[in-house]
Amino acid sequence: MLPHSYAVDSLSRSQDLASAILASTTPSQISATCASIDFFLQSHSPDQSRHFFSITFPVLICKLFGFDDASSLPPPPPSQKPPSNGWVELASQSSLPDLSSKIFSLLSPNGTLMNSISAVDRHSLVKYVFPVERLPEWVRFMLSNEKYFRVISDLCPFFKGKVKEDAVQGSLCQIQLNVFEYYLFWFAYYPVCKGNSENLDSNSVKRSSKFRLENWTRSIRGFSGSSKREMEQKFEGNLYIQLLYAYLRAFVPIFDLGAHQPYRSSILNYSLKCDGSVIVRAELLVNVFVHYWLVDNDFSPLPVNVCKSFGVSFPFRSMLGEIPPTSGLGEVVKLFVKYLNLSSVMSTDGFDNIECNESPRWRVSGGFDSADLVSLSPSVCSVGSWNSWIQRPLYRFILRTFLFSPVGTSMKNTSQVFSVWVSYMEPWTISLDDFAELDVVINGSSKDVRNHETESQNSGYSPVWQAFVLSNFLYYSSLFMHFIGFAHKFLHTDPEVIAQMVLKVISLLTSSKELVDLIKNVDVVFHSKQAVSSKSALNSLYRIVPSIREQLKDWEDGLCESDADGSFLHENWNKDLKLFSDGEDGGQRLLQLFILRAEAELQGGDIAHAHSLQIIDSLKEKVSYLFGGSTMKPIPISPELRQPQHTRDELFKPRRVGNQTSANVTYKGDWMKRPISGVEVAWLAKLLIWLSSWLNESLGLDRPEDNDVGSKWFYVNIPGDAVNLNGSGEIVKTLVCLIGSWLLMMGTTTRLMRKHGLRINLRVLASKKVVMVLLIFVVFSALKKACGLFH
């Protein structure tokens, strides 16, 4: 027990520090406060620091990330929108490297604060209750239901021991965390909160504002003239990115120590440096970042087989809706994924270790020397490849961005996610040099950290990467098909940039003949019955087909049955792979259609740049190489024949190409189920689409009539003699005849509509103009009645 004088001194100084933190707004005040915090923690033992973490630490988190600007103690829960005066944001925006260095030194994994946190957690001196409303969205829904929150610890092991019932209100639950976990949750929540606030700000911009090419290309690797040095400078000035890399480097090992630690229960298989706490902390860090950044508002947050094993079925689809992931996470996700992919760079296993229902296992191989490995994570040992931890969440994160990004919004976030996807698909281009500038910030040394160049950098695809491609095959096949639908959907926004994005992916797929052959061979065995083939390479690929089918069903769970994605692929899409399909919804047909549309858009503009025409020629060449066909011949475009179309409703309609009308161009897509446009009332459009679909299905209008059956007309014979209409019986007969005639007319009309392929489409009534006219009529009628009653 502490003496009373020490306890009083610790309490008073903690309160003084909290007040100083709240009052620190200028760079000089922040630097002085950081020094005071460091001095306090160095001069007090962990037991004496209890008051600091109880009183001062929550205030420090609020000021670091700008969650709260109140001056009261204790601080209220952080607000949803972070103000711009957070210390991290201020250090990133200002041109004061000393301020950034002071804050980084305070929060660094090797600093006094982190050492004190470890000491306090070791003795379990402080526990926090993390606000449920700041958890990932799907976790919030689970905790709000008594049926689900009792199994969340089994579904998500990193919540084990953290979900407790509220002592005051027993019907509610709370998340109790130690100091490190509390800080980590807030650290992961910061970019999510920031992205939500920026998204709200961007929605206030008028939809007519046009985003220029440079706004897109600045965030897409390889599109602009920006060099690697410019990207490194951006990371140098981003304090959050620096801290993220420092935590990953210190707490998450990336080189192998026996994949997934098969004997982790035995103490004989651990060295003194690699104990269970290191593995648990690494798994916690990766899980928190995955669920905050990649999963968050996903309506299928967990693998389907995991939910079935626990008998859990989540109604997240109706609650979360078809909304894209949080915007503004591109940079942090790219660094996170790129760092975890280093575990695949460090180790590539042979194809023989891939099992049908398991992720590949990796071993350490050449390419980097032991000094590089030690410099990356000097104090921890590896838990194996992290690739299997992010495969499903990252796939759904990218796919939900492509499917659910609304028309008319900024493409900055989508281009960042596209960059994450491309970077993930080519791990052979990743090297330790990519993190050299961040290592400089962490190590505080000169920029010549590595005395030699990495000879294996950008070596390209080789057969040693076959295991990685096979375990992530959907990234190279199914996701590419969804991206083609996205490219068609957004081609009108900036044809040159969209064409560059498509060219970037096709260039990646065709960068190596071995890679093209591997993708084609997997597609062949996927669509063929298992049988003995003359090619031994195909026989070995049959083993991974069940795994790909299971991934296709699980990773795209609920994502491809929507009518809101605007693509051609939502009909039974998650049952097959169609990249090399010969049908009209196959990859080659859709790419040819895209090239026709892109060529018409680019040549039909005011100025046809030579660079734009070169992109089209490169696309034709790459597509021909990928599918093994003849080179596509350019179609001459007559500008005077091209009819300009400016309305949003013409989004998916192919442009007029040469002498061909739009009817001659095969285009698969339900016009009634196109994406919601800005001139429609969203909820009313969805309701009318559902009503129209129900009527078409009930009346059989969604099934075309057999043309072989001749149409027969039915007539009602009216008697020619005079009919006496006197009497109730005659009136009933007349009404029956009228009803029969009406039913006959409806049946005949339905038959004609079914024969000619016509369907009911009530969506036109969702137009804002129609709704406004109806609203004015209702208001006028109500006012007229009210005036009549008044008079």
Side-chain angles (χ1 to χ4, degrees), residues 454-526:
T454 306
E455 297 179 357
S456 61
Q457 182 178 359
N458 298 328
S459 58
Y461 174 82
S462 62
V464 75
W465 288 103
Q466 178 173 306
F468 180 89
V469 174
L470 292 176
S471 63
N472 296 277
F473 184 74
L474 295 187
Y475 284 87
Y476 301 85
S477 178
S478 179
L479 191 55
F480 177 49
M481 287 295 293
H482 287 290
F483 176 70
I484 297 175
F486 165 83
H488 276 282
K489 178 180 177 181
F490 285 93
L491 179 62
H492 70 289
T493 56
D494 200 320
E496 183 175 357
V497 172
I498 295 294
Q500 283 180 314
M501 295 171 75
V502 176
L503 178 61
K504 176 69 176 178
V505 182
I506 297 182
S507 299
L508 188 155
L509 296 178
T510 58
S511 59
S512 170
K513 184 178 183 301
E514 291 85 356
L515 180 59
V516 174
D517 292 341
L518 178 62
I519 296 175
K520 288 184 176 180
N521 289 337
V522 174
D523 188 85
V524 169
V525 300
F526 184 88

Side-chain angles (χ1 to χ4, degrees), residues 752-763:
L752 287 174
M753 293 178 65
R754 190 185 302 115
K755 178 180 179 181
H756 295 282
L758 301 179
R759 292 186 298 171
I760 298 174
N761 185 4
L762 302 177
R763 182 171 176 174

Side-chain angles (χ1 to χ4, degrees), residues 248 251-264 269-270 273-287 339-340 343-344 347 360-364 377 380-389:
L248 290 173
F251 302 133
V252 182
I254 50 88
F255 54 95
D256 192 44
L257 183 70
H260 301 292
Q261 294 293 339
Y263 304 103
R264 62 186 301 173
N269 290 276
Y270 287 92
K273 290 184 178 180
C274 189
D275 56 11
S277 62
V278 172
I279 298 174
V280 170
R281 176 169 288 192
E283 293 177 351
L284 172 68
L285 205 77
V286 173
N287 269 315
Y339 179 85
L340 295 185
S343 62
S344 301
S347 52
R361 306 174 74 182
W362 315 92
R363 70 169 184 268
V364 177
S377 292
V380 294
C381 302
S382 175
V383 296
S385 173
W386 294 104
N387 183 260
S388 60
W389 290 63

Side-chain angles (χ1 to χ4, degrees), residues 249-465:
R249 180 180 175 228
F251 302 133
V252 182
I254 50 88
F255 54 95
D256 192 44
L257 183 70
H260 301 292
Q261 294 293 339
Y263 304 103
R264 62 186 301 173
S265 61
S266 174
I267 195 172
L268 299 178
N269 290 276
Y270 287 92
S271 65
L272 294 177
K273 290 184 178 180
C274 189
D275 56 11
S277 62
V278 172
I279 298 174
V280 170
R281 176 169 288 192
E283 293 177 351
L284 172 68
L285 205 77
V286 173
N287 269 315
V288 169
F289 291 158
V290 164
H291 284 277
Y292 262 106
W293 298 342
L294 302 182
V295 182
D296 192 20
N297 55 4
D298 190 353
F299 50 78
S300 179
L302 301 174
V304 176
N305 58 346
V306 173
C307 297
K308 288 183 178 179
S309 62
F310 287 94
V312 178
S313 177
F314 301 130
F316 292 147
R317 181 73 179 267
S318 59
M319 291 184 287
L320 294 177
E322 296 170 346
I323 55 179
T326 303
S327 61
L329 299 177
E331 291 183 10
V332 295
V333 170
K334 184 175 182 179
L335 176 62
F336 176 60
V337 171
K338 199 171 185 179
Y339 179 85
L340 295 185
N341 255 0
L342 277 176
S343 62
S344 301
V345 175
M346 299 299 177
S347 52
T348 52
D349 202 327
F351 172 65
D352 293 337
N353 279 347
I354 291 186
E355 302 296 338
C356 295
N357 295 316
E358 294 181 357
S359 299
R361 306 174 74 182
W362 315 92
R363 70 169 184 268
V364 177
S365 62
F368 302 98
D369 54 32
S370 59
D372 292 333
L373 298 178
V374 174
S375 66
L376 222 78
S377 292
S379 61
V380 294
C381 302
S382 175
V383 296
S385 173
W386 294 104
N387 183 260
S388 60
W389 290 63
I390 61 174
Q391 280 180 318
R392 185 185 191 271
L394 180 63
Y395 185 90
R396 293 182 62 86
F397 174 82
I398 298 172
L399 182 55
R400 288 189 298 130
T401 302
F402 290 157
L403 293 184
F404 301 147
S405 292
V407 178
T409 58
S410 171
M411 291 294 99
K412 179 181 178 181
N413 177 68
T414 309
S415 62
Q416 290 178 346
V417 175
F418 171 81
S419 180
V420 173
W421 175 40
V422 172
S423 175
Y424 181 82
M425 285 199 299
E426 45 181 5
W428 43 86
T429 63
I430 302 175
S431 69
L432 294 178
D433 286 337
D434 296 340
F435 305 94
E437 297 298 325
L438 290 172
D439 283 326
V440 170
V441 178
I442 296 175
N443 297 328
S445 59
S446 61
K447 294 192 176 183
D448 192 15
V449 177
R450 300 175 58 105
N451 297 324
H452 62 280
E453 295 293 333
T454 306
E455 297 179 357
S456 61
Q457 182 178 359
N458 298 328
S459 58
Y461 174 82
S462 62
V464 75
W465 288 103

Side-chain angles (χ1 to χ4, degrees), residues 80 189 191-201 296 326-327:
Q80 180 69 20
Y189 174 70
V192 178
C193 183
K194 184 180 177 182
N196 289 333
S197 65
E198 290 178 352
N199 188 37
L200 292 176
D201 295 338
D296 192 20
T326 303
S327 61

Side-chain angles (χ1 to χ4, degrees), residues 585-689:
D585 56 352
Q588 187 173 8
R589 294 287 185 89
L590 293 180
L591 283 172
Q592 289 177 350
L593 175 60
F594 175 82
I595 292 175
L596 293 177
R597 293 186 60 203
E599 190 172 21
E601 292 277 1
L602 293 173
Q603 293 189 359
D606 297 334
I607 301 178
H609 298 282
H611 179 63
S612 303
L613 302 180
Q614 185 179 0
I615 294 174
I616 298 298
D617 293 337
S618 300
L619 268 176
K620 295 176 181 178
E621 179 183 355
K622 297 294 183 181
V623 170
S624 299
Y625 178 75
L626 179 62
F627 295 98
S630 58
T631 305
M632 296 179 58
K633 297 180 180 180
I635 299 178
I637 308 296
S638 302
E640 63 272 12
L641 295 178
R642 183 178 181 270
Q643 300 295 331
Q645 302 177 4
H646 302 287
T647 61
R648 189 182 302 275
D649 292 340
E650 297 296 326
L651 218 101
F652 297 94
K653 189 175 181 180
R655 305 296 194 246
R656 188 179 184 90
V657 182
N659 296 324
Q660 302 181 21
T661 61
S662 59
N664 296 330
V665 180
T666 303
Y667 190 89
K668 184 176 181 179
D670 194 341
W671 179 247
M672 183 179 67
K673 299 178 181 180
R674 65 191 184 276
I676 305 298
S677 64
V679 297
E680 295 177 309
V681 181
W683 65 268
L684 184 58
K686 293 180 180 179
L687 177 63
L688 293 176
I689 290 173

